[in-house]
C-alpha cells in the first residue's frame, strides 16, 4: 500500500490575480502529477505580497504533504517567495556558487553589465536540494521540512517544465513509491473534426475504461489521449497498443502520429525518407509554412527555402507567374496557385513545390471574401493538386488553417 | 473613501486539478474585476469533494469580503457547491420556479425526457438574488451572509461570462460604491532586459504608489504596467502621464509603444508613414520575420515579400550572393548578411532590405556555435547596419530572438 500524498500547487504572482495570464503552469503540472497517481487537492494563487504569501504557505502546510510553489524567485523587488518561506521555517539563505557562476557567465557572454539584483536569483535555502536551471537563471529547490516536502520552481513555463521533467518527477516517483505503472500516449489526427472523430469511435469510447480515451481539440488538429494503468510497464503498453489498433481500424486514415509529434515533423520525416526537397511559394501565409518546416531540427536536409510573394510584382518578376494567368484568372485562383507551385520548383531547384494564395482578410482580394484560399502542390514525379478551401475566422486563424491544410495535403501525398 | 473589498475566486472542479483544463475563468474574471478596482487577493481551486469544498469556503470566508465561486451547480452527483455552502451557513434550499420551468421547456423543445437529476439545477438558497442563465440551465446566485458577499456562478465559461457581464459586474460596482476611476496602461520596451530596466527605474518604482509601476517580462520584450486611481478620469490620466514622462526620461530610448501595440505593428506604422517598402532575406529565421510583418493588417502596403534562402544554392542562385563572399567569409558572416540585405532590395525592388543568417542549432554552421547570428539592414537612403549577435536558448528561441532583434534594429533605424 503506497502512501497517499496530498499535493498542492501554489502560484505566486500578481499578474495572475490581475488576469494578465492564466495559470497554465498549474494545469501542466497537474496533468503530470495525475499520471503518476498523485492527488492534487488544491491550486492556490497569491500575489506578490509578503504577508499573504506567508499566510498561504502557513495554511497550505496544514492541508498538504507535497507543496509545489511556482514563481517569485526572480531578481526583482516583487520576488518574495524565499522571504515568505523564511517567515514560516527556520532556514538560512545562502548564495549557491554554481548558480551564481552561471549568472555571471551569462552576462559576460552577453557582454552586458550584471545589475546587483541578479545576485538574488542564486540564493537558496541551507539544506535544500538545488535543481539546476538549464534554460534560465534562478535554480529550483526541494526542501523537506518536518512532514512536508516543498518544491520551489521558477514561474517561467519553459524553466518550470524542464525542472519538473528532469528532476521533480523522478524525485516524486521515488518519494511516493508508486508501484503501479501509468502509461499515457497521445494519438494525433488531421483532416477530421472532433465530433466526427467522437462519432466514429463512440462504441470504443463508451465500452472502454482502461486505457481511458479522451479526445482533445487542439489548435493543430485533434488528439486522443490514451491512459492505461497496470502492474507492469509491459501490461500497460499492451493495453494501449490494443486500443490504438481498434482506433486505427476506424479512423487510421486521419492519424498521422503520436505524442509530441507535429504534422510538420511528420512531413519532414517523409520528405527525408524519400530524399525529396521542397520549396514554398507563399502569398497570404506570408512565410508561415516555411517557418514551421524550418523549425524542425535538420530542416536543411529537406527544405531549400521559399519565396514570400505577397505582392503581385514579386509573383510576376521573381516567380515568373505569367501576366496572362494573372489577367485571366487573378492571383487568387486555381491556375495561379498551380503555376506558383510549379515555378517555385524551378526557382529553387526543388522536387516538390507548394503554394498558398488567397484572402486572409479583413479585406476581400479580387472579389474573393476573406477565407478563400487556394493551395497547390506540385510534385515532379507525381500528380499535382490545386484546391480551393474556405476557412472561417480572423486573419491570423485563416492563415494558420491554410498552413495546416498545406501540411495535410503534403502528408497525404507523401505517405 | 470607498471600502476596499478583498476578493477571492474559487473554482470547484476536479477536472482542473487533473490538469484537463486551465482555470481561464479566473483569468477572465480577474481582468474584469481589476478594471473596476477590485483587489483580487486569491484564486483557489478545489475538487468535487464535499469536505474539501466546505473547508475551502470556511477558510476563504476569513480572508475575503467578496467570494465568487464557479462550478459545482450542475445536475450530477459531483456537483456539490450548494451542499458545501449549506454546511457553513444556515440557509434552506428551495426550487426556483422560473428556472425549473425553463429547464422543463428545454427538454420539451428537445423532445427528450428530462432525467430527475436535472431538477437539482433549479435549486437556490432562500433569500438569494437569483441570476438568470440565458445560455444554460443552472441559475447563478448572490448571497449576502454577515459581512461576506457570495456569488455562485456556473463553471461553463459561456454561462459564467454572460452572468458576470450582465448581472455581477453592475452589482459589484454598486456594492463597492466605486466612484474613483482606475486607469491602466502598458508601456512596451525593446532592447533592454527586465533587471536593467528595474535598475534604471529603481528610484521611481520605490517612491511611487499611484500610479503603481509593475514591470513584466514577456516573450516579446519587457512591459511596464502603470495603474492609477483617482477621483476623475482626467486626474488619472494626468497621474499616468506624469509617471510616463519620468520613465521616458530614463529609458525612453527603449520604449516603442503602449498597450496592445506590438513591435511589428510599430515598424509597420513607421514604414507606412515613410512610404517605404521592405523585403527580407531570411536564412535561420526561415520566414519568421516576414510572417510576423504580414500578420499585421494592411501589410501589403509596406511588405512586398521575402526570400527564405536557407540553402546556400538559393543564396547564390536566387539572391545572387557572390560565390567569392561565401568562399572568403562564409554564409554566417557580416559580409554575407550585408550582401543579402542589399540583394533582397534589388530582387524585390524594395527600399529597405533586412537579412538574417546564422546558426539556430543544434549543430554549428561553418564553425559558428548555435546562437551566432548576423543581421543586416540596408536602407537605400541611409546608412546600412550589419551586426553580430549571440543568443542563448533552444533552436526556436534563438530564431525568435533573432527575429525580435531584427524588428528592434528596424525600429531604431526608422524612428
Amino acid at each position: 500500500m503506497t502512501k497517499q500524498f496530498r499535493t498542492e500547487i501554489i502560484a505566486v504572482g500578481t499578474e495572475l490575480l490581475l488576469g494578465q495570464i492564466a495559470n497554465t503552469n498549474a494545469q501542466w503540472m497537474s496533468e503530470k502529477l495525475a499520471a503518476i497517481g498523485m492527488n492534487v487537492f488544491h491550486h492556490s494563487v497569491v500575489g506578490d505580497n509578503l504577508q499573504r504569501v506567508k499566510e498561504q504557505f502557513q495554511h497550505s502546510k496544514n492541508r498538504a504533504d507535497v507543496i509545489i510553489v511556482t514563481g517569485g524567485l526572480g531578481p526583482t523587488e516583487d520576488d518574495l517567495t524565499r522571504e515568505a518561506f523564511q517567515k514560516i521555517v527556520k532556514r538560512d539563505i545562502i548564495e549557491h556558487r554554481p548558480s551564481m557562476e552561471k549568472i555571471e557567465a551569462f552576462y559576460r557572454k552577453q557582454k552586458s553589465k550584471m545589475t546587483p539584483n541578479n545576485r538574488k536569483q542564486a540564493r537558496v535555502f541551507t539544506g535544500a536540494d538545488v535543481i539546476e536551471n538549464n534554460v534560465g537563471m534562478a535554480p529550483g529547490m526541494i526542501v523537506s521540512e518536518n512532514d512536508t516536502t516543498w518544491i520551489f520552481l521558477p514561474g517561467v513555463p519553459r524553466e518550470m517544465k524542464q525542472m519538473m521533467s528532469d528532476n521533480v518527477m523522478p524525485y516524486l516517483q521515488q518519494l511516493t513509491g508508486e508501484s503501479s505503472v501509468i502509461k499515457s500516449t497521445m494519438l494525433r489526427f488531421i483532416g477530421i473534426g472532433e465530433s466526427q472523430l467522437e462519432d466514429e469511435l463512440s462504441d470504443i469510447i463508451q465500452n472502454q475504461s482502461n486505457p481511458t480515451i479522451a479526445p482533445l481539440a487542439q489548435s493543430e488538429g485533434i488528439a486522443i489521449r490514451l491512459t492505461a494503468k497496470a502492474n507492469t510497464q509491459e501490461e500497460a503498453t499492451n493495453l494501449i497498443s490494443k486500443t490504438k489498433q481498434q482506433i486505427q481500424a476506424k479512423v487510421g486514415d486521419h492519424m498521422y502520429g503520436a505524442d509530441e509529434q507535429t504534422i510538420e515533423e511528420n512531413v519532414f520525416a517523409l520528405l527525408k525518407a524519400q530524399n525529396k526537397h521542397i520549396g514554398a511559394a507563399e502569398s497570404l501565409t506570408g512565410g508561415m509554412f516555411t517557418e514551421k518546416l524550418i523549425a524542425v531540427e535538420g530542416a536543411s536536409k529537406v527544405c531549400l527555402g521559399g519565396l514570400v510573394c505577397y505582392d503581385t510584382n514579386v509573383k510576376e518578376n521573381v516567380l515568373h507567374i505569367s501576366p496572362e494567368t494573372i489577367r485571366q484568372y487573378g492571383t487568387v485562383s486555381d491556375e495561379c496557385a498551380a503555376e506558383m507551385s510549379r515555378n517555385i520548383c524551378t526557382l529553387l531547384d526543388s522536387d516538390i513545390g507548394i503554394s498558398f494564395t488567397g484572402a486572409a482578410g479583413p479585406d476581400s482580394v479580387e472579389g474573393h471574401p476573406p477565407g478563400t484560399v487556394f493551395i497547390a502542390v506540385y510534385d515532379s514525379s507525381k500528380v499535382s493538386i490545386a484546391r480551393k478551401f474556405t476557412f472561417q475566422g480572423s486573419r491570423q486563424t485563416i492563415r494558420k488553417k491554410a498552413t495546416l491544410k498545406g501540411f495535410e495535403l503534403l502528408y497525404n501525398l507523401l505517405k
Side-chain angles (χ1 to χ4, degrees), chain A residues 190-377:
Chain A
I190 197 164
I192 185 168
E194 188 180 10
S195 55
Q196 194 194 338
L197 190 77
E198 286 213 30
D199 202 48
E200 302 237 14
L201 300 178
S202 60
D203 279 6
I204 307 180
I205 292 174
Q206 275 163 36
N207 300 317
Q208 181 76 61
S209 63
N210 188 19
T212 56
I213 304 175
L216 308 160
Q218 303 189 321
S219 67
E220 312 270 293
I222 305 294
I224 291 180
R225 179 186 292 273
L226 302 181
T227 308
K229 191 166 189 168
N231 290 321
T232 66
Q233 192 73 25
E234 196 189 346
E235 201 187 319
T237 305
N238 285 343
L239 284 168
I240 282 185
S241 164
K242 209 179 127 200
T243 303
K244 189 174 158 183
Q245 277 167 26
Q246 291 179 303
I247 291 173
Q248 275 182 307
K250 297 247 187 192
V251 288
D253 273 0
H254 297 284
M255 198 178 119
Y256 71 82
D259 298 323
E260 293 313 303
Q261 219 170 5
T262 63
I263 186 71
E264 52 266 27
E265 282 168 353
N266 223 282
V267 166
F268 164 78
L270 287 165
L271 287 166
K272 198 175 154 194
Q274 296 173 29
N275 196 23
K276 283 185 174 169
H277 287 88
I278 190 166
E282 305 188 55
S283 187
L284 86 154
T285 49
M288 197 186 278
F289 175 89
T290 309
E291 198 284 307
K292 277 194 178 296
L293 191 56
I294 289 184
V296 181
E297 280 182 20
S300 61
K301 293 198 179 55
V302 308
C303 182
L304 304 169
L307 180 74
V308 180
C309 46
Y310 201 49
D311 190 76
T312 303
N313 286 331
V314 178
K315 291 188 185 74
E316 286 190 19
N317 301 337
V318 184
L319 196 56
H320 306 300
I321 301 301
S322 93
E324 181 56 25
T325 302
I326 293 173
R327 200 193 50 77
Q328 195 170 344
Y329 306 104
T331 61
V332 180
S333 65
D334 259 355
E335 291 78 5
C336 186
E339 200 169 323
M340 284 165 68
S341 69
R342 284 196 305 275
N343 291 15
I344 194 69
C345 281
T346 314
L347 185 73
L348 302 180
D349 195 20
S350 65
D351 310 298
I352 298 177
I354 185 166
S355 68
F356 301 84
T357 180
D363 300 326
S364 294
V365 176
E366 299 168 3
H368 298 280
T372 313
V373 177
F374 291 86
I375 305 176
V377 180

Side-chain angles (χ1 to χ4, degrees), chain A residues 91-137:
Chain A
R91 292 255 179 180
D92 286 332
I93 294 181
I94 50 169
E95 189 168 282
H96 186 241
R97 266 323 292 164
S99 297
M100 196 57 232
E101 278 161 18
K102 214 164 129 180
I103 295 171
E104 286 165 345
F106 173 84
Y107 281 94
R108 267 199 309 279
K109 204 169 163 190
Q110 291 277 307
K111 293 193 175 57
S112 61
K113 199 178 130 237
M114 190 189 84
T115 53
N117 55 358
N118 275 293
R119 293 202 86 84
K120 203 179 144 185
Q121 298 190 83
R123 294 185 311 141
V124 300
F125 295 109
T126 51
D129 284 344
V130 177
I131 308 173
E132 193 184 345
N133 189 338
N134 289 319
V135 287
M137 302 259 182

